[in-house]
mmCIF file with all atom_site columns, all heavy atoms in Angstrom:
data_model
loop_
_atom_site.group_PDB
_atom_site.id
_atom_site.type_symbol
_atom_site.label_atom_id
_atom_site.label_alt_id
_atom_site.label_comp_id
_atom_site.label_asym_id
_atom_site.label_entity_id
_atom_site.label_seq_id
_atom_site.pdbx_PDB_ins_code
_atom_site.Cartn_x
_atom_site.Cartn_y
_atom_site.Cartn_z
_atom_site.occupancy
_atom_site.B_iso_or_equiv
_atom_site.pdbx_formal_charge
_atom_site.auth_seq_id
_atom_site.auth_comp_id
_atom_site.auth_asym_id
_atom_site.auth_atom_id
_atom_site.pdbx_PDB_model_num
ATOM 1  N N   . GLY A 1 10 ? -19.509 -87.192 45.328 1.00 97.00 ? 58 GLY A N   1
ATOM 2  C CA  . GLY A 1 10 ? -20.197 -87.313 46.664 1.00 97.00 ? 58 GLY A CA  1
ATOM 3  C C   . GLY A 1 10 ? -20.755 -88.730 46.986 1.00 97.00 ? 58 GLY A C   1
ATOM 4  O O   . GLY A 1 10 ? -20.479 -89.661 46.195 1.00 97.00 ? 58 GLY A O   1
ATOM 5  N N   . LEU A 1 11 ? -21.703 -88.674 48.015 1.00 98.00 ? 59 LEU A N   1
ATOM 6  C CA  . LEU A 1 11 ? -22.274 -89.868 48.347 1.00 98.00 ? 59 LEU A CA  1
ATOM 7  C C   . LEU A 1 11 ? -23.728 -89.974 47.913 1.00 98.00 ? 59 LEU A C   1
ATOM 8  O O   . LEU A 1 11 ? -24.406 -88.964 48.023 1.00 98.00 ? 59 LEU A O   1
ATOM 9  C CB  . LEU A 1 11 ? -22.236 -89.936 49.962 1.00 98.00 ? 59 LEU A CB  1
ATOM 10 C CG  . LEU A 1 11 ? -22.885 -91.184 50.666 1.00 98.00 ? 59 LEU A CG  1
ATOM 11 C CD1 . LEU A 1 11 ? -22.289 -92.517 50.211 1.00 98.00 ? 59 LEU A CD1 1
ATOM 12 C CD2 . LEU A 1 11 ? -22.901 -90.955 52.094 1.00 98.00 ? 59 LEU A CD2 1
ATOM 13 N N   . VAL A 1 12 ? -24.144 -91.117 47.499 1.00 98.00 ? 60 VAL A N   1
ATOM 14 C CA  . VAL A 1 12 ? -25.474 -91.174 46.912 1.00 98.00 ? 60 VAL A CA  1
ATOM 15 C C   . VAL A 1 12 ? -25.883 -92.664 47.173 1.00 98.00 ? 60 VAL A C   1
ATOM 16 O O   . VAL A 1 12 ? -25.067 -93.524 47.149 1.00 98.00 ? 60 VAL A O   1
ATOM 17 C CB  . VAL A 1 12 ? -25.440 -90.901 45.414 1.00 98.00 ? 60 VAL A CB  1
ATOM 18 C CG1 . VAL A 1 12 ? -24.754 -91.862 44.480 1.00 98.00 ? 60 VAL A CG1 1
ATOM 19 C CG2 . VAL A 1 12 ? -26.968 -90.854 44.866 1.00 98.00 ? 60 VAL A CG2 1
ATOM 20 N N   . GLN A 1 13 ? -27.184 -92.758 47.324 1.00 98.00 ? 61 GLN A N   1
ATOM 21 C CA  . GLN A 1 13 ? -27.773 -94.130 47.595 1.00 98.00 ? 61 GLN A CA  1
ATOM 22 C C   . GLN A 1 13 ? -27.794 -94.861 46.239 1.00 98.00 ? 61 GLN A C   1
ATOM 23 O O   . GLN A 1 13 ? -28.062 -94.278 45.171 1.00 98.00 ? 61 GLN A O   1
ATOM 24 C CB  . GLN A 1 13 ? -29.089 -94.015 48.278 1.00 98.00 ? 61 GLN A CB  1
ATOM 25 C CG  . GLN A 1 13 ? -29.120 -93.569 49.571 1.00 98.00 ? 61 GLN A CG  1
ATOM 26 C CD  . GLN A 1 13 ? -30.463 -93.539 50.245 1.00 98.00 ? 61 GLN A CD  1
ATOM 27 O OE1 . GLN A 1 13 ? -31.500 -93.622 49.539 1.00 98.00 ? 61 GLN A OE1 1
ATOM 28 N NE2 . GLN A 1 13 ? -30.523 -93.582 51.496 1.00 98.00 ? 61 GLN A NE2 1
ATOM 29 N N   . ALA A 1 14 ? -27.747 -96.286 46.256 1.00 98.00 ? 62 ALA A N   1
ATOM 30 C CA  . ALA A 1 14 ? -28.055 -97.129 45.101 1.00 98.00 ? 62 ALA A CA  1
ATOM 31 C C   . ALA A 1 14 ? -29.407 -96.708 44.484 1.00 98.00 ? 62 ALA A C   1
ATOM 32 O O   . ALA A 1 14 ? -30.328 -96.449 45.084 1.00 98.00 ? 62 ALA A O   1
ATOM 33 C CB  . ALA A 1 14 ? -27.994 -98.459 45.430 1.00 98.00 ? 62 ALA A CB  1
ATOM 34 N N   . GLY A 1 15 ? -29.342 -96.565 43.141 1.00 97.00 ? 63 GLY A N   1
ATOM 35 C CA  . GLY A 1 15 ? -30.504 -96.080 42.384 1.00 97.00 ? 63 GLY A CA  1
ATOM 36 C C   . GLY A 1 15 ? -30.488 -94.701 42.182 1.00 97.00 ? 63 GLY A C   1
ATOM 37 O O   . GLY A 1 15 ? -31.412 -94.209 41.427 1.00 97.00 ? 63 GLY A O   1
ATOM 38 N N   . GLY A 1 16 ? -29.765 -93.861 42.846 1.00 98.00 ? 64 GLY A N   1
ATOM 39 C CA  . GLY A 1 16 ? -29.779 -92.419 42.742 1.00 98.00 ? 64 GLY A CA  1
ATOM 40 C C   . GLY A 1 16 ? -28.934 -91.969 41.661 1.00 98.00 ? 64 GLY A C   1
ATOM 41 O O   . GLY A 1 16 ? -28.369 -92.706 40.825 1.00 98.00 ? 64 GLY A O   1
ATOM 42 N N   . SER A 1 17 ? -28.947 -90.631 41.565 1.00 98.00 ? 65 SER A N   1
ATOM 43 C CA  . SER A 1 17 ? -28.245 -89.962 40.418 1.00 98.00 ? 65 SER A CA  1
ATOM 44 C C   . SER A 1 17 ? -27.235 -89.025 40.948 1.00 98.00 ? 65 SER A C   1
ATOM 45 O O   . SER A 1 17 ? -27.238 -88.459 42.058 1.00 98.00 ? 65 SER A O   1
ATOM 46 C CB  . SER A 1 17 ? -29.180 -89.170 39.512 1.00 98.00 ? 65 SER A CB  1
ATOM 47 O OG  . SER A 1 17 ? -30.231 -90.067 38.981 1.00 98.00 ? 65 SER A OG  1
ATOM 48 N N   . LEU A 1 18 ? -26.248 -88.729 40.102 1.00 98.00 ? 66 LEU A N   1
ATOM 49 C CA  . LEU A 1 18 ? -25.206 -87.829 40.402 1.00 98.00 ? 66 LEU A CA  1
ATOM 50 C C   . LEU A 1 18 ? -24.594 -87.132 39.219 1.00 98.00 ? 66 LEU A C   1
ATOM 51 O O   . LEU A 1 18 ? -24.396 -87.995 38.169 1.00 98.00 ? 66 LEU A O   1
ATOM 52 C CB  . LEU A 1 18 ? -24.072 -88.445 41.199 1.00 98.00 ? 66 LEU A CB  1
ATOM 53 C CG  . LEU A 1 18 ? -23.121 -87.583 42.112 1.00 98.00 ? 66 LEU A CG  1
ATOM 54 C CD1 . LEU A 1 18 ? -23.940 -86.869 43.242 1.00 98.00 ? 66 LEU A CD1 1
ATOM 55 C CD2 . LEU A 1 18 ? -22.035 -88.430 42.719 1.00 98.00 ? 66 LEU A CD2 1
ATOM 56 N N   . GLY A 1 19 ? -24.251 -85.849 39.175 1.00 98.00 ? 67 GLY A N   1
ATOM 57 C CA  . GLY A 1 19 ? -23.740 -85.247 38.009 1.00 98.00 ? 67 GLY A CA  1
ATOM 58 C C   . GLY A 1 19 ? -22.297 -84.716 38.196 1.00 98.00 ? 67 GLY A C   1
ATOM 59 O O   . GLY A 1 19 ? -22.039 -84.144 39.304 1.00 98.00 ? 67 GLY A O   1
ATOM 60 N N   . LEU A 1 20 ? -21.387 -85.029 37.378 1.00 98.00 ? 68 LEU A N   1
ATOM 61 C CA  . LEU A 1 20 ? -19.958 -84.518 37.473 1.00 98.00 ? 68 LEU A CA  1
ATOM 62 C C   . LEU A 1 20 ? -19.765 -83.587 36.391 1.00 98.00 ? 68 LEU A C   1
ATOM 63 O O   . LEU A 1 20 ? -20.309 -83.595 35.254 1.00 98.00 ? 68 LEU A O   1
ATOM 64 C CB  . LEU A 1 20 ? -19.094 -85.720 37.358 1.00 98.00 ? 68 LEU A CB  1
ATOM 65 C CG  . LEU A 1 20 ? -19.302 -86.914 38.198 1.00 98.00 ? 68 LEU A CG  1
ATOM 66 C CD1 . LEU A 1 20 ? -18.187 -88.045 37.947 1.00 98.00 ? 68 LEU A CD1 1
ATOM 67 C CD2 . LEU A 1 20 ? -19.158 -86.486 39.640 1.00 98.00 ? 68 LEU A CD2 1
ATOM 68 N N   . SER A 1 21 ? -18.859 -82.617 36.710 1.00 98.00 ? 69 SER A N   1
ATOM 69 C CA  . SER A 1 21 ? -18.411 -81.761 35.574 1.00 98.00 ? 69 SER A CA  1
ATOM 70 C C   . SER A 1 21 ? -16.854 -81.584 35.720 1.00 98.00 ? 69 SER A C   1
ATOM 71 O O   . SER A 1 21 ? -16.265 -81.807 36.768 1.00 98.00 ? 69 SER A O   1
ATOM 72 C CB  . SER A 1 21 ? -19.161 -80.383 35.760 1.00 98.00 ? 69 SER A CB  1
ATOM 73 O OG  . SER A 1 21 ? -18.593 -79.735 37.130 1.00 98.00 ? 69 SER A OG  1
ATOM 74 N N   . CYS A 1 22 ? -16.315 -81.212 34.650 1.00 98.00 ? 70 CYS A N   1
ATOM 75 C CA  . CYS A 1 22 ? -14.824 -81.040 34.571 1.00 98.00 ? 70 CYS A CA  1
ATOM 76 C C   . CYS A 1 22 ? -14.586 -79.860 33.707 1.00 98.00 ? 70 CYS A C   1
ATOM 77 O O   . CYS A 1 22 ? -14.903 -79.925 32.435 1.00 98.00 ? 70 CYS A O   1
ATOM 78 C CB  . CYS A 1 22 ? -14.154 -82.354 34.051 1.00 98.00 ? 70 CYS A CB  1
ATOM 79 S SG  . CYS A 1 22 ? -12.402 -82.135 33.635 1.00 98.00 ? 70 CYS A SG  1
#
Side-chain angles (χ1 to χ4, degrees):
L59 176 64
V60 64
Q61 293 182 343
S65 299
L66 203 61
L68 306 181
S69 65
C70 171

